[in-house]
């Protein structure tokens, strides 16, 4: 159902089919979030359902307003300014952009790591497609404001977290800020950023799923489980932070270049400085994962080495998410 809903949305030209695909997606992911039957998981599923239903309704409302004024049901023909504004807020709710970001960390914290991976990658794909298709008619000022505040809040609120899934949720919000700031000027760069973000996030989530780490304190003692994998996790996290020789630097570099071409150098400077906040908590994750040994080693149980060889997909994803730019 997830694949079906995503395919329907990304291949549709009519607003109603796009909406139907999004609804199928929402309903398909709910049992995956709530599968552990833990109260927090149920709460996460409820929050997810409410926000996504509201966002779908808003999207339907904006397309109906547009059809009411212009008689057009085509996605690319969204021209009425009011429906553009409503659509921007609906997609921001779908993606978890500031100021509609509150549900995302909570939902990610309540769901298991594999579902968290689905939520932060596949579930953002259909709204991203709609964003891409309507990008030429959206309001660039509004998008820029939302983007900068997303980068700021994603950085600020991630600083004080100890739960890895919440940290990754805030990192996702900050990355969405980078994608949104450029979409009105060069939507292809948004897609490039999104694809590379999916690669790096998938590598991170799958690695964490292998070593079964969900808190910073457990991450400190997992280095004995799969030492080489942990060492590569360091590079993947730095790539997510966007440090130059690694893959994560490509989209940042191109986006800053495009923004300076558009005479938006102040915005480029601001969003680059705000990504330093994100760098701080990626470094903290990397520090806990590989650089330090925990203090008072006597109190800590050393964990058993994992005998199974590392999954091929994790190996490929990690390699790609660190080495694309050097290659």
């Amino acid at each position: 159902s997830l694949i079906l809903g995503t395919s329907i949305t990304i291949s549709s030209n009519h607003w109603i089919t796009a909406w139907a695909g999004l609804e199928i997606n929402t309903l398909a992911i709910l049992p995956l979030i709530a599968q552990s039957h833990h109260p927090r998981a149920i709460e996460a599923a409820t929050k997810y359902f409410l926000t996504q239903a509201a966002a779908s309704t808003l999207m339907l409302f904006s397309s109906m307003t547009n059809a009411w004024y212009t008689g057009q049901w085509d996605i690319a023909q969204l021209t009425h300014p009011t429906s553009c504004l409503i659509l921007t807020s609906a997609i921001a709710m779908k993606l978890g952009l500031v100021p509609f970001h509150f549900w995302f960390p909570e939902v990610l914290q309540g769901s298991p790591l594999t579902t968290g991976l689905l939520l932060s990658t596949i579930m953002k794909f259909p709204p991203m497609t709609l964003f891409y298709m309507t990008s030429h008619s959206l309001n660039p000022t509004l998008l820029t404001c939302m983007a900068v505040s997303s980068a700021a809040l994603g950085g600020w609120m991630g600083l004080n977290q100890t739960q890895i899934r919440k940290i990754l949720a805030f990192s996702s919000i900050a990355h969405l800020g980078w994608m949104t700031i450029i979409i009105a000027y060069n939507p292809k760069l948004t897609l490039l950023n999104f694809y590379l973000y999916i690669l790096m996030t998938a590598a991170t989530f799958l690695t964490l799923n292998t070593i079964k780490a969900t808190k910073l304190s457990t991450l400190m003692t997992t280095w004995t489980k799969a030492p080489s994998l942990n060492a590569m996790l360091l590079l993947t996290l730095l790539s997510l932070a966007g440090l130059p020789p690694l893959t994560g630097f490509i989209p940042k570099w191109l986006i800053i270049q495009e923004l300076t071409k558009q005479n938006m150098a102040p915005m480029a400077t601001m969003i680059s400085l705000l990504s330093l906040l994100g760098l701080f908590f990626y470094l903290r994750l990397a520090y806990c994962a590989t650089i330090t040994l925990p203090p008072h080693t006597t109190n800590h149980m050393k964990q058993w080495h994992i005998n199974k060889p590392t999954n091929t997909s994790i190996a490929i994803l990690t390699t790609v998410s660190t080495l694309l730019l050097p290659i």
Side-chain angles (χ1 to χ4, degrees):
S1 295
L2 270 181
I3 296 167
L4 173 74
T6 308
S7 316
I8 290 177
T9 303
I10 63 183
S11 57
S12 61
N13 286 314
H14 194 289
W15 276 113
I16 298 289
T17 44
W19 169 81
L22 288 170
E23 286 294 320
I24 294 172
N25 247 358
T26 303
L27 292 175
I29 194 90
L30 287 176
L32 287 174
I33 301 175
Q35 67 184 346
S36 65
H37 298 300
H38 189 275
R40 179 161 290 175
I42 308 290
E43 183 189 347
T46 315
K47 283 178 178 167
Y48 185 77
F49 173 71
L50 291 173
T51 43
Q52 297 302 308
S56 296
T57 316
L58 271 179
M59 205 192 83
L60 205 56
F61 179 52
S62 84
S63 53
M64 279 170 65
T65 313
N66 190 58
W68 180 264
Y69 278 101
T70 61
Q72 275 289 358
W73 277 105
D74 193 358
I75 293 185
Q77 305 286 332
L78 188 82
T79 46
H80 192 254
T82 314
S83 45
C84 288
L85 289 174
I86 299 173
L87 181 82
T88 310
S89 58
I91 289 185
M93 274 173 95
K94 279 269 173 212
L95 291 172
L97 272 169
V98 174
F100 305 107
H101 64 286
F102 297 102
W103 62 274
F104 191 52
E106 305 284 327
V107 170
L108 218 59
Q109 180 56 34
S111 52
L113 279 167
T114 38
T115 312
L117 170 62
L118 286 178
L119 277 173
S120 43
T121 55
I122 309 292
M123 299 304 288
K124 307 221 163 181
F125 196 47
M128 261 305 166
T129 324
L130 294 176
F131 226 6
Y132 180 80
M133 288 167 78
T134 55
S135 58
H136 52 83
S137 51
L138 299 177
N139 181 353
T141 322
L142 175 67
L143 289 176
T144 310
C145 292
M146 285 169 89
V148 172
S149 51
S150 289
L153 274 172
W156 275 122
M157 293 174 76
L159 293 182
N160 210 14
Q161 302 293 337
T162 55
Q163 299 285 343
I164 298 174
R165 282 169 293 187
K166 277 198 175 174
I167 293 181
L168 285 169
F170 286 117
S171 103
S172 178
I173 293 170
H175 274 273
L176 281 169
W178 278 89
M179 291 173 218
T180 315
I181 198 165
I182 199 66
I183 195 154
Y185 307 104
N186 193 344
K188 285 200 172 58
L189 275 184
T190 300
L191 284 190
L192 171 77
N193 194 344
F194 185 57
Y195 296 146
L196 291 178
Y197 164 74
I198 284 184
L199 282 177
M200 298 182 290
T201 310
T204 313
F205 266 109
L206 291 171
T207 305
L208 291 170
N209 192 40
T210 307
I211 58 181
K212 298 281 180 284
T214 52
K215 291 201 292 290
L216 283 180
S217 53
T218 53
L219 193 61
M220 275 197 158
T221 53
T222 49
W223 61 273
T224 46
K225 281 189 178 183
S228 50
L229 189 60
N230 255 14
M232 285 308 287
L233 179 62
L234 162 77
L235 286 178
T236 315
L237 286 167
L238 292 183
S239 183
L240 259 176
L243 288 186
L246 305 164
T247 308
F249 182 57
I250 306 175
K252 288 194 168 37
W253 179 19
L254 294 174
I255 286 173
I256 289 171
Q257 193 179 1
E258 183 64 33
L259 284 176
T260 36
K261 275 185 203 162
Q262 301 285 350
N263 293 331
M264 290 174 66
M267 282 300 151
T269 316
M270 242 172 100
I271 201 163
S272 315
L273 287 173
L274 288 171
S275 71
L276 287 176
L277 292 169
L279 176 64
F280 180 83
F281 58 76
Y282 292 122
L283 273 176
R284 188 200 214 156
L285 270 174
Y287 206 69
C288 287
T290 50
I291 304 175
T292 53
L293 290 182
H296 315 302
T297 36
T298 46
N299 305 347
H300 280 287
M301 286 290 289
K302 289 281 183 288
Q303 309 219 19
W304 286 103
H305 194 289
I306 298 175
N307 274 331
K308 299 194 297 291
T310 304
N311 195 331
T312 326
S313 57
I314 300 181
I316 294 169
L317 280 169
T318 310
T319 316
V320 168
S321 63
T322 47
L323 293 179
L324 265 186
L325 182 54
I327 289 170

